[in-house]
Amino acid sequence: MSDVYSGSKKRTLSNILLLPEEIFDEILLRLPSKSVGRCSAVCKTWNSLVNTFVRNHTRYQSNSDHDAQLLFLQFHDSSSIINRSHYALHRDNSTCNVYTKLPNPFAACNKLPTCLRGAEKVEDLTLVGTCNGLICLVARDNEIHFAASIWNPCIRKLVALPKPGLAVYKDIDQVRYGFGYDSCTNDYKVLRCVNHKYIRQSTCQVEIWSLARGSWKSLSSAADHVILPTNSHPILPANFHPGQLFNRSGVVFVNGSLHWLQLARNWKVNKMDYLVASFDMASELFGEITVPEALRKKLHSEPRRREWFISRYRESIALVNICNDRERWFGCRVEIWVMAEYGVAASWANLCTMQLPDFWLMPLGFRKSGEVVLMRYINGDQSMLLDPESKQVSYFEIDGSNNRLKFMDYFVESLVLLDQPNAISY
C-alpha cells in the first residue's frame, strides 16, 4: 500500500514539474506568500523554481484577500512581570480579529550571529516601520551591539545589519532610524541619523544601509567642506538635524520617501521653525515639506503644552497636534491635518478638531477606514478609536486583551528575503 502511495506521489510531483514555466508562475502568483514559502521547502528542485520566480517577480506581493486589510501590531504585556513585546497580524475589520500571532524572531532563532546575541532578552525593541512585508527592528545602541534587523514574518526570515560605521559617544543626544524601499533599484534601505547634544555646535551625521549592497555608507553634509559638482547641492543641508526628532514621533515612509518632524533654523527671522523633513530613498537627497500656517502658529504658541505627530494617511501624510491642558483639567484638544495631494503644500486640510477629556494621548496610526488609533498613557494604558468624520470616540480592544498597543502599521505579505543568501531562517 505504501509503495502505491509513494509511486502516486512521485508521479504527481513529476507532472507538476513538467508544467510550462508561465503556468507554474501563474499558480504561485495566486498563492499567499506563506504558501509560496512552503513550496520552496519541498525539495531542491522546487526551491530553485520558487527562487527563480521570486527573482523574476521582484515586486511580487501576495494576492491573498487578507492583504488588503492587514495591520501589523506590537504589544507590551502589561500583566507580565517582564515587559516583553508580542507581535501579531490582525484583519483591519470591525472586530479586528486575529489573523496570525507571530513569534519573537530573536527568541525563535537558534543560530543568531554574534551581533544579535542577547537580542531576545532586550525588552525595548523599537519598530521603525514596515514596507512590502518587511519589518525593521532596532534596539538602543547602549543595550546590545547591533544596529538593526530586517524581518519577514510570513516566510520566517531575518537579516542582521552589520555594525554601523558611525560610533556612539557620550555626547550623542539621539540615534534615529528610518526604513523604506527604493523602487528604482528594487532595494531596501535603512537610514541612521546620529545627532549630538549641542545641536548648534555640531552637525548631524547620517549613514545609510542597503540590502543589495549589504553595507553602510556615510552621506556628506554641507559642513563637510567637500568639493561638489557644479549646480549640485549638498546631500545633507547645513541647517538639518534629522536626529533631532520629537521624542514620541516616528519616521513615516510614503511615496518613496521617509518623513519626520523637524526643527530647523529659519535664517530670515533667525529662529527655529517647524517643518516636515523628507529623504528620497532613490536619490538619497533630503528635502522639506511646509507645515500648514495655522498649525505653525499654534505650535509656536505654548510649545510646552503641545505635541505633534506625523503618520501615514492612506497614500499621503497626516499631522496630529495634541494640546494638553492638564493644569485646567480640560483634557486635551486633538487637531488632525491631512495633505490631500501628496507634495502639494496648498492641499493641507484640517480633517478634524475636537476636545477630549483625556490627557497624554499619542496617535499610533490610521486605519483604512480613516479612523485614528490613539493610545492613552494615564490611569492605565488603553487604546482609543477616533472617527474624524463623526467625531465619535470608542475603546479599541483587540481580542479582549489588556496588552499595551505600542506600534501599528499597514502590512502586506511578500516573499522579500526568500532568496537572500545571508538571511537567517527560523
Side-chain angles (χ1 to χ4, degrees), residues 96-334:
C96 207
N97 55 308
V98 176
Y99 173 52
T100 304
K101 290 184 178 180
L102 305 171
N104 184 316
F106 302 119
C109 194
N110 57 9
K111 294 183 179 180
L112 291 174
T114 303
C115 61
L116 283 177
R117 287 174 190 167
E120 73 277 5
K121 298 178 182 178
V122 174
E123 298 176 9
D124 193 19
L125 279 175
T126 299
L127 271 82
V128 177
T130 72
C131 181
N132 295 346
L134 296 184
I135 299 155
C136 180
L137 305 100
V138 302
R140 291 198 297 265
D141 288 271
N142 60 350
E143 287 206 29
I144 54 176
H145 300 290
F146 82 101
S149 59
I150 307 300
W151 174 34
N152 187 330
C154 293
I155 59 173
R156 298 173 68 93
K157 293 276 189 178
L158 184 75
V159 170
L161 275 64
K163 188 176 181 179
L166 298 174
V168 175
Y169 302 103
K170 291 182 180 179
D171 66 337
I172 294 299
D173 186 28
Q174 290 176 323
V175 179
R176 297 289 181 171
Y177 291 84
F179 173 60
Y181 175 65
D182 176 0
S183 60
C184 294
T185 59
N186 186 36
D187 194 9
Y188 293 85
K189 298 177 179 179
V190 175
L191 185 72
R192 182 173 182 264
C193 305
V194 178
N195 198 79
H196 295 263
K197 288 182 179 179
Y198 307 103
I199 191 169
R200 296 182 182 180
Q201 301 174 7
S202 61
T203 59
C204 177
Q205 295 178 292
V206 179
E207 59 186 338
I208 190 166
W209 174 87
S210 157
L211 177 63
R213 188 176 60 247
S215 61
W216 293 92
K217 74 172 182 180
S218 295
L219 301 183
S220 64
S221 71
D224 288 337
H225 304 294
V226 295
I227 299 176
L228 298 170
T230 306
N231 299 326
S232 66
H233 300 280
I235 294 175
L236 180 59
N239 67 328
F240 266 36
H241 301 276
Q244 191 66 21
L245 299 172
F246 281 67
N247 289 336
R248 296 202 294 161
S249 189
V251 181
V252 178
F253 179 70
V254 175
N255 200 36
S257 296
L258 298 172
H259 304 80
W260 60 89
L261 305 178
Q262 175 76 52
L263 275 175
R265 182 161 293 280
N266 187 333
W267 296 107
K268 294 181 180 179
V269 294
N270 194 28
K271 67 177 182 179
M272 302 302 286
D273 204 359
Y274 297 87
L275 57 86
V276 175
S278 64
F279 179 79
D280 188 290
M281 298 301 279
S283 65
E284 297 186 355
L285 294 174
F286 287 86
E288 63 181 67
I289 297 175
T290 58
V291 174
E293 184 63 24
L295 178 58
R296 283 180 63 250
K297 291 179 179 179
K298 291 178 181 178
L299 291 171
H300 278 294
S301 66
E302 300 180 324
R304 293 183 180 180
R305 286 171 45 197
R306 298 180 183 275
E307 287 189 283
W308 64 319
F309 304 84
I310 189 169
S311 180
R312 177 152 56 121
Y313 182 81
R314 294 170 179 162
E315 299 304 318
S316 190
I317 56 176
L319 300 177
V320 182
N321 176 35
I322 296 179
C323 180
N324 290 292
D325 201 1
R326 190 178 184 184
E327 295 177 358
R328 301 180 184 178
W329 297 101
F330 288 160
C332 70
R333 186 174 67 252
V334 178

Side-chain angles (χ1 to χ4, degrees), residues 390-403:
S390 66
K391 295 189 177 181
Q392 296 296 312
V393 179
S394 58
Y395 291 115
F396 185 54
E397 292 187 359
I398 300 175
D399 309 326
S401 172
N402 64 346
N403 288 346

